[in-house]
Amino acid sequence: LIALDAYLKMKDVRSGKRKSIDFYRDQVAKLDKKLLLYLNSVYEILHLSGYYDGLQDAKVIKRGFDVAYEIIDRIKPLNAA
Protein backbone atom coordinates (compact mmCIF):
# COMPACT_ATOMS: atom_id res chain seq x y z
CA LEU A 1 0.00 0.00 0.00
CA ILE A 2 2.92 2.34 0.61
CA ALA A 3 4.08 1.76 -2.98
CA LEU A 4 0.56 2.39 -4.26
CA ASP A 5 0.32 5.57 -2.18
CA ALA A 6 3.52 6.81 -3.84
CA TYR A 7 2.20 5.79 -7.27
CA LEU A 8 -1.09 7.60 -6.77
CA LYS A 9 0.72 10.67 -5.46
CA MET A 10 2.88 10.72 -8.62
CA LYS A 11 -0.36 10.57 -10.62
CA ASP A 12 -1.80 13.50 -8.58
CA VAL A 13 -4.48 11.35 -6.93
CA ARG A 14 -5.16 12.65 -3.43
CA SER A 15 -7.28 11.49 -0.54
CA GLY A 16 -7.34 13.27 2.77
CA LYS A 17 -8.99 10.45 4.66
CA ARG A 18 -8.14 6.85 5.50
CA LYS A 19 -8.15 4.85 2.30
CA SER A 20 -9.99 1.57 1.83
CA ILE A 21 -9.11 -1.23 -0.56
CA ASP A 22 -12.00 0.03 -2.69
CA PHE A 23 -10.32 3.43 -2.98
CA TYR A 24 -7.10 1.79 -4.18
CA ARG A 25 -8.98 -0.47 -6.59
CA ASP A 26 -11.00 2.40 -8.05
CA GLN A 27 -8.01 4.67 -8.52
CA VAL A 28 -5.66 2.02 -9.87
CA ALA A 29 -8.37 0.76 -12.27
CA LYS A 30 -8.49 4.22 -13.85
CA LEU A 31 -4.71 4.26 -14.37
CA ASP A 32 -3.37 0.76 -15.00
CA LYS A 33 -5.43 -2.41 -15.48
CA LYS A 34 -2.46 -4.76 -15.08
CA LEU A 35 -1.51 -3.10 -11.80
CA LEU A 36 -5.10 -3.65 -10.68
CA LEU A 37 -4.73 -7.39 -11.35
CA TYR A 38 -1.61 -7.43 -9.16
CA LEU A 39 -3.38 -5.47 -6.43
CA ASN A 40 -6.31 -7.86 -6.41
CA SER A 41 -3.99 -10.89 -6.22
CA VAL A 42 -1.94 -9.46 -3.38
CA TYR A 43 -5.03 -8.43 -1.44
CA GLU A 44 -6.62 -11.86 -1.87
CA ILE A 45 -3.50 -13.87 -1.04
CA LEU A 46 -1.86 -11.87 1.72
CA HIS A 47 -4.69 -10.00 3.38
CA LEU A 48 -7.73 -12.22 3.05
CA SER A 49 -6.26 -15.72 2.80
CA GLY A 50 -3.04 -15.17 4.71
CA TYR A 51 -4.23 -12.89 7.48
CA TYR A 52 -7.96 -13.40 7.96
CA ASP A 53 -8.20 -17.06 6.99
CA GLY A 54 -4.85 -17.99 8.51
CA LEU A 55 -3.54 -19.77 5.44
CA GLN A 56 -0.20 -21.33 6.37
CA ASP A 57 0.97 -22.59 2.98
CA ALA A 58 4.39 -20.98 2.61
CA LYS A 59 4.38 -21.33 -1.18
CA VAL A 60 1.12 -19.41 -1.51
CA ILE A 61 2.26 -16.68 0.88
CA LYS A 62 5.57 -16.43 -1.01
CA ARG A 63 3.62 -15.98 -4.25
CA GLY A 64 1.71 -13.15 -2.59
CA PHE A 65 4.98 -11.43 -1.76
CA ASP A 66 6.29 -12.07 -5.28
CA VAL A 67 3.25 -10.29 -6.71
CA ALA A 68 3.70 -7.45 -4.22
CA TYR A 69 7.25 -7.02 -5.53
CA GLU A 70 5.85 -7.00 -9.07
CA ILE A 71 3.74 -3.99 -8.05
CA ILE A 72 6.83 -2.23 -6.72
CA ASP A 73 8.85 -3.09 -9.83
CA ARG A 74 6.07 -1.80 -12.07
CA ILE A 75 5.97 1.51 -10.17
CA LYS A 76 9.77 1.96 -9.91
CA PRO A 77 10.35 3.22 -13.47
CA LEU A 78 7.82 6.00 -12.91
CA ASN A 79 9.84 7.29 -9.98
CA ALA A 80 12.99 7.51 -12.11
CA ALA A 81 11.25 9.62 -14.77
Side-chain angles (χ1 to χ4, degrees):
L1 294 180
I2 292 169
L4 288 175
D5 283 336
Y7 172 73
L8 294 174
K9 186 176 180 181
M10 286 187 284
K11 298 292 187 175
D12 290 325
V13 175
R14 306 275 189 239
S15 173
K17 57 184 179 176
R18 176 180 266 186
K19 297 172 268 317
S20 68
I21 189 62
D22 293 325
F23 168 81
Y24 287 103
R25 284 178 171 155
D26 291 343
Q27 298 307 313
V28 171
K30 294 175 189 175
L31 300 167
D32 187 331
K33 298 293 184 194
K34 189 166 187 173
L35 192 60
L36 177 62
L37 293 174
Y38 291 150
L39 172 59
N40 287 333
S41 293
V42 168
Y43 183 74
E44 182 70 34
I45 294 169
L46 295 180
H47 187 67
L48 297 179
S49 296
Y51 181 75
Y52 279 112
D53 295 339
L55 181 71
Q56 296 179 351
D57 185 330
K59 289 180 183 178
V60 174
I61 299 300
K62 181 185 180 314
R63 179 63 189 143
F65 277 101
D66 291 343
V67 177
Y69 284 116
E70 288 179 37
I71 290 173
I72 293 167
D73 289 341
R74 188 166 181 87
I75 292 169
K76 260 193 239 183
L78 297 175
N79 194 22

